[in-house]
Amino acid sequence: MEKSPVLAIVVPCYKEEAVLHEAHKRLSQLLNRLITEGHISPKSYILYVNDGSTDRTWDIIKDLHQNTPYACGLNLAGNVGHQNALMAGLNAVKERCDAAISIDADLQDDINVIPEMLERYREGCDIVYGVRRERKTDTFFKRTTALVFYRLMKLMGAKSVYNHADYRLMSSRAVRQLCRFRERNLYLRGLVPLIGYQTACVYYNRDKRFAGESKYPFKKMLNFAIDGITSFSVKPVRMIFWLGCIFILVAVCVTIWTLRAYFLHNTVPGWSSLMISLWLVGGAILVSLGIVGEYIGKIYIEVKDRPRYNEEELLLR
């Protein structure tokens, strides 16, 4: 009989005291069922990663570890962001499981597709993406910006799975390969497809948040999008070159028009065209400098090679 795999469920948490008990209840019930049916090993567990929360999140994780089955905890010394916290959790379980599933604590991702993920894993897939069928629970603004972002990522040449966030199953060898990536500007949705192992997708409907507030306001979403684009493509820098060529062409046309008007003694004051040109070219220069500066800033962060996170306490069974 084939040995049942040890499954680790990695749950990054930031100020999630309102949902942790319910999340652990549902995940524990699912693990109980999967263990009873022989799909996973009784050694399977859930690792909650506390990303420097300032509420009672870590106290609740410690209480769950002491008084309930399956619960383990990793406390980070400070807030390092969702992607780094998730990477810290994956790094902690890479030698302690056969497969790992990453999922957020807000109970929006459907845990009932985990058995299907495990089925794809048993069929030989090292990576199984959880993909949303639709985005009806999102606002019109969020749906539109998400669509624009995914299309922009595709245009820039970055590999990504449409409507996939960070809900996925990875085999232990895929997790170890992911941990070899040393970028500080993490965008896991773009890194995971670079691993190259066999993949599959399972589809689900996303629920509304059970409790608490979203930890991804517009500002964080915008920064996340910028990280995703600039971490996987140099096309914005190349676009600056072509933008410069366009402006040179416009300048040549304006010069010919100006000389023609001068020799025909048909000159006009020209203040408006001058001001428009100055503003247009000045804006283009500032935007170009901003794009180049974004890349230089990332180089600055990477070359310092500082640790991405600091583990303060690890609770295992």
Side-chain angles (χ1 to χ4, degrees):
M1 182 177 178
E2 186 180 352
K3 180 183 175 182
S4 299
V6 176
L7 177 67
I9 300 179
V10 179
V11 187
C13 306
Y14 178 65
K15 295 183 179 180
E16 297 290 5
E17 63 178 358
V19 301
L20 265 177
H21 282 106
E22 183 66 21
H24 185 66
K25 175 185 174 182
R26 296 187 190 183
L27 289 171
S28 296
Q29 289 174 347
L30 176 66
L31 288 185
N32 277 330
R33 178 162 62 88
L34 292 174
I35 291 171
T36 301
E37 295 173 355
H39 296 307
I40 60 174
S41 167
K43 295 180 180 179
S44 301
Y45 58 96
I46 308 164
L47 180 68
Y48 298 99
V49 183
N50 178 42
D51 184 20
S53 302
T54 55
D55 60 0
R56 295 186 60 255
T57 295
W58 180 239
D59 292 332
I60 293 174
I61 292 172
K62 289 193 293 185
D63 180 68
L64 291 173
H65 174 70
Q66 293 171 0
N67 300 305
T68 65
Y70 311 123
C72 299
L74 172 60
N75 188 33
L76 302 181
N79 178 248
V80 294
H82 178 272
Q83 298 291 278
N84 282 311
L86 181 52
M87 182 63 91
L90 292 172
N91 193 54
V93 305
K94 65 182 180 182
E95 304 297 341
R96 299 183 176 96
C97 69
D98 297 306
I101 290 177
S102 58
I103 187 172
D104 290 339
D106 56 16
L107 301 178
Q108 289 187 271
D109 296 317
D110 185 7
I111 64 173
N112 293 313
V113 299
I114 289 179
E116 187 179 351
M117 287 181 168
L118 289 168
E119 183 63 29
R120 302 289 87 76
Y121 166 75
R122 284 190 291 269
E123 291 172 358
C125 294
D126 284 279
I127 301 169
V128 184
Y129 298 106
V131 181
R132 297 171 63 174
R133 286 194 180 94
E134 54 193 7
R135 306 185 71 98
K136 288 184 177 180
T137 57
D138 291 344
T139 63
F140 173 78
F141 176 77
K142 193 169 184 179
R143 287 198 303 270
T144 305
T145 53
L147 179 62
V148 170
F149 171 69
Y150 280 111
R151 288 184 175 177
L152 186 59
M153 288 294 291
K154 185 177 181 180
L155 179 65
M156 294 296 172
K159 294 182 178 180
S160 61
V161 178
Y162 181 63
N163 272 350
H164 164 69
D166 287 300
Y167 183 29
R168 68 181 74 88
L169 177 147
M170 301 178 67
S171 67
S172 57
R173 73 164 184 160
V175 173
R176 288 193 295 270
Q177 187 68 24
L178 177 64
C179 290
R180 293 180 60 191
F181 289 90
R182 298 185 56 83
E183 289 100 320
R184 280 190 51 80
N185 297 285
L186 282 177
Y187 179 68
L188 295 179
R189 302 174 198 182
L191 284 179
V192 172
L194 297 180
I195 295 174
Y197 295 148
Q198 185 175 348
T199 66
C201 294
V202 298
Y203 297 90
Y204 67 97
N205 295 318
R206 202 164 196 245
D207 296 326
K208 292 183 178 180
R209 187 178 177 86
F210 173 75
E213 297 179 352
S214 172
K215 305 307 184 295
Y216 261 98
F218 177 73
K219 183 179 179 181
K220 280 192 175 182
M221 288 173 58
L222 182 60
N223 290 334
F224 189 57
I226 292 173
D227 278 344
I229 293 170
T230 55
S231 295
F232 288 90
S233 177
V234 296
K235 285 188 177 181
V237 177
R238 292 176 183 167
M239 287 169 59
I240 294 173
F241 170 76
W242 292 111
L243 186 63
C245 292
I246 292 172
F247 277 107
I248 290 174
L249 180 61
V250 171
V252 170
C253 294
V254 171
T255 301
I256 294 173
W257 176 80
T258 303
L259 290 174
R260 178 180 177 277
Y262 176 78
F263 285 114
L264 292 176
H265 304 287
N266 191 27
T267 56
V268 292
W271 181 86
S272 298
S273 60
L274 179 62
M275 291 302 296
I276 292 173
S277 300
L278 286 174
W279 280 100
L280 189 61
V281 174
I285 291 172
L286 290 176
V287 170
S288 302
L289 288 175
I291 294 175
V292 174
E294 184 70 27
Y295 281 92
I296 293 174
K298 288 188 179 296
I299 295 170
Y300 172 69
I301 293 172
E302 294 291 345
V303 296
K304 288 188 293 186
D305 197 27
R306 292 176 179 172
R308 287 185 291 211
Y309 52 83
N310 180 20
E311 295 183 6
E312 185 171 326
E313 188 176 0
L314 179 62
L315 304 175
L316 294 174
R317 296 188 175 275

